Amino acid sequence: MTGQETAPGPKHKRDLTRRKVIVAGAGAVVAAGVGGSFAAGAFAGEETTTAQGRTAGTSGEACYRLTSETTEGPYYIDADKLRRDITEDQEGIPLTLRLKVIDSDTCKPLANAAVDIWHCNALGVYSGYEAMGSGGGGGGGGGTPPSGTPTGSPTGAPPGGGGGGGGGHEEPTDDERYLRGTWRTDKRGEVVFRTVFPGWYQGRCVHIHTKVHVNGTWTAAGYEGGTTCHTGQLFFDEASVLATAEVAPYSTNTATRTTLDEDTIYPGNGTEGGLLKLKYKKGAIAKGVVATLTMGVDPEATQDGTGDSVQPGTSASASATVG
């Protein structure tokens, strides 16, 4: 979160850090014009369940403040797959994630940006780190589902690095890459992913990780170079999470669940902090959820979420990302 309120200084020439995204399948080879969205109305009878904060209109859109920066977490894998559908064979409630990326200063959409997302499955396991179990903290699978609202406040750091909270980067333990992907924003700054509703693990509330990369090059091999201008996490309201706990396979997840208010990473500032606006049919969340959010970013900043992120005109020590 540190640095998002700081007024940008002189624009500095940025060093290009090479990064490459592995293309998944022949259909993803051509990156140009990939900003198309999934079919509208995928979930009939959708009802808005969360509408906190500001939302973007189609015209006269109000400028957004910078979306909160958060830690990258230990389970980021740079060489991810260029794709919109990241589900693979994972079971869970269908989730359509619609993100819009804009320049928080000018409010203009950021086209051709690369957006990464990654999250755990219904039982709290991250692909690439299956040997670490449920979010690195264990406890996934089997037993009685959680009910009601957990009580008490968490203390200390999330177990095992929190599986997406603080702690240093962990090296992958396997070659699985489900629930991970990268896609390109269209001319409206929009990108759409198809995935499943994330589960939970001990020490963290339900969340999705995201990064936005700019000034890179789209090639037949993927996305290369550029800088990371935003590293954040996307969050879900308590009502929706409790509703998912009634549905298999979430109902078999016995890991202790941390609420949104108890979470040590969520900044508590609504949509500006990454709280998603959710739509689903009341009483039938199993049919699917549509989640939307507009993210205001500073394309001149470097925010990689590893503790050395720098805003233009500031020192690394003054703008270190809080874990």
Side-chain angles (χ1 to χ4, degrees):
M1 294 193 314
T2 305
Q4 64 260 32
E5 300 295 339
T6 303
K11 298 185 186 299
H12 290 182
K13 183 177 180 180
R14 295 178 297 275
D15 293 329
L16 295 183
T17 302
R18 180 179 177 83
R19 68 182 302 276
K20 179 177 286 189
V21 179
I22 305 301
V23 176
V29 171
V30 181
V34 296
S37 62
F38 293 100
F43 306 119
E46 294 168 356
E47 296 181 4
T48 300
T49 60
T50 301
Q52 285 185 253
R54 292 162 290 181
T55 56
T58 55
S59 62
E61 182 174 32
C63 285
Y64 276 61
R65 298 175 69 183
L66 280 168
T67 299
S68 299
E69 300 294 325
T70 65
T71 178
E72 173 187 281
Y75 299 150
Y76 176 59
I77 299 177
D78 191 25
D80 218 344
K81 294 183 176 180
L82 185 65
R83 57 185 181 178
R84 288 184 293 182
D85 190 336
I86 65 174
T87 309
E88 292 193 19
D89 59 352
Q90 293 300 299
E91 296 181 358
I93 296 169
L95 175 68
T96 298
L97 178 64
R98 302 178 183 273
L99 302 175
K100 182 173 183 178
V101 184
I102 65 171
D103 185 317
S104 63
D105 184 39
T106 66
C107 290
K108 292 182 179 179
L110 288 184
N112 301 320
V115 178
D116 299 332
I117 66 167
W118 71 101
H119 61 85
C120 69
N121 66 11
L123 298 182
V125 177
Y126 281 88
S127 65
Y129 299 90
E130 290 187 343
M132 295 185 178
S134 177
T144 306
S147 61
T149 302
T151 59
S153 300
T155 58
H169 177 73
E170 296 284 349
E171 290 301 315
T173 63
D174 57 72
D175 294 328
E176 296 293 337
R177 295 295 183 267
Y178 53 80
L179 306 181
R180 297 176 179 273
T182 300
W183 202 247
R184 182 181 185 175
T185 58
D186 62 17
K187 64 182 180 181
R188 298 177 298 276
E190 297 174 352
V191 62
V192 182
F193 290 96
R194 177 78 70 179
T195 184
V196 296
F197 203 104
W200 58 89
Y201 48 88
Q202 187 173 356
R204 287 303 315 280
C205 68
V206 175
H207 63 282
I208 293 175
H209 292 266
T210 187
K211 283 179 178 283
V212 178
H213 311 275
V214 294
N215 302 312
T217 302
W218 292 93
T219 70
Y223 184 81
E224 301 179 9
T227 52
T228 303
C229 69
H230 174 66
T231 297
Q233 296 183 28
L234 310 175
F235 300 94
F236 298 79
D237 67 278
E238 281 299 296
S240 66
V241 174
L242 285 173
T244 66
E246 304 290 327
V247 180
Y250 307 88
S251 56
T252 66
N253 187 346
T254 59
T256 301
R257 189 178 67 80
T258 297
T259 68
L260 186 68
D261 289 340
E262 292 172 335
D263 192 70
T264 57
I265 303 298
Y266 173 57
N269 51 349
T271 53
E272 189 178 320
L275 185 63
L276 293 162
K277 178 180 179 181
L278 305 180
K279 291 184 179 181
Y280 57 88
K281 189 173 182 179
K282 190 174 182 179
I285 196 171
K287 293 183 178 296
V289 178
V290 174
T292 59
L293 185 71
T294 295
M295 298 188 295
V297 304
D298 179 359
E300 298 295 327
T302 299
Q303 297 284 3
D304 59 15
T306 59
D308 56 357
S309 300
V310 179
Q311 290 280 3
T314 64
S315 66
S317 60
S319 60
T321 303
V322 176

